[in-house]
Amino acid sequence: MLNQAEPGSPAGKIIDISAAEYQAIQQFLSQSCGIELGDSKQYLVKSRLLPLMGKFEFSSFAELANSLQSASFSAQKIKSAVVDAMTTNETFWFRDERQFVELKDKVLPGLLNSKNGNVRVWSAACSSGQEPYSIAICALEAIKASTKSRSVQIIGTDISEAILEEAKRAVYSEAALSRGMDSAAKARYFHKNYDGYLLSPEVSQLVRFQQFNLLKSFTALGRFDLIFCRNVLIYFSDQVKRDILTRMADSLEPGGYLFLSSTEAMPIGLDSFELVRSGLTSYFKKIG
């Protein structure tokens, strides 16, 4: 058991987490959103969930673990808060820049010029919006260079409702913008307001956000020409990862594209995609 006082605990009390309580939280996260925690992440769980103890007036992790087993209406808010707290929201602008260069210079122009309708893009696990908004900036520049009158529609999804509210606001701090947004793009697409820097409507209007669990059916989202699913599958088991990628292949139009992060590989035996290598980056194209 852990026995360390930390900030966020109710009334400054020391709250321990037992092996059984940790296992209950492990199982909840696995079943509810696919996140697989190892057997040595007790400190991470404790540091993320301690602030919730006071908020929901729990005096022990046993009470929290019990609430995760409840089907009551009040327990749903607690479950949502636990998922929000445990979801990693690390993100920044134009993450893995070479992929965005490829997107702007090759992938989007090719889609805009070959399709009869609008281009649909899905940013899965979009966190606070930097990824879908980065895609939107690339889309604006590709649209301006295209000879055809087309638009790009982007949907950003995440399991965390709280982080999606941040994304919808489209307001970012100086520190957040310093992570990947160069000064020229900052001057062009943002203006200072009382709360930070507001993204230009010409960018934000290309994106809509929706709370979504990747374990659920993708059917209601429709079909896409391009899917970004980066830095999220690493938290899932191999079986769940394979299932998600198989269903993403089904959601892509023939010849559509899938971008994983530069450190992620396609599972062996999943033959719906072919690897595309271009310069120093790579991504996947749906076969058929």
Side-chain angles (χ1 to χ4, degrees), residues 14-55:
I14 295 173
I15 300 182
D16 299 330
I17 182 168
S18 70
E21 292 155 4
Y22 178 70
Q23 185 178 41
I25 294 170
Q26 275 184 306
Q27 291 175 347
F28 165 74
L29 291 170
S30 177
Q31 294 169 3
S32 64
C33 58
I35 294 176
E36 298 290 340
L37 290 179
D39 293 329
S40 59
K41 299 291 186 180
Q42 289 89 342
Y43 180 79
L44 173 66
V45 169
K46 189 173 181 182
S47 63
R48 294 281 183 91
L49 298 187
L50 268 176
L52 300 183
M53 306 293 280
K55 178 179 179 181

Side-chain angles (χ1 to χ4, degrees), residues 214-228:
L214 291 175
L215 299 186
K216 305 298 184 182
S217 170
F218 299 165
T219 303
L221 296 177
R223 298 185 64 78
F224 297 94
D225 303 290
L226 172 63
I227 297 176
F228 270 62

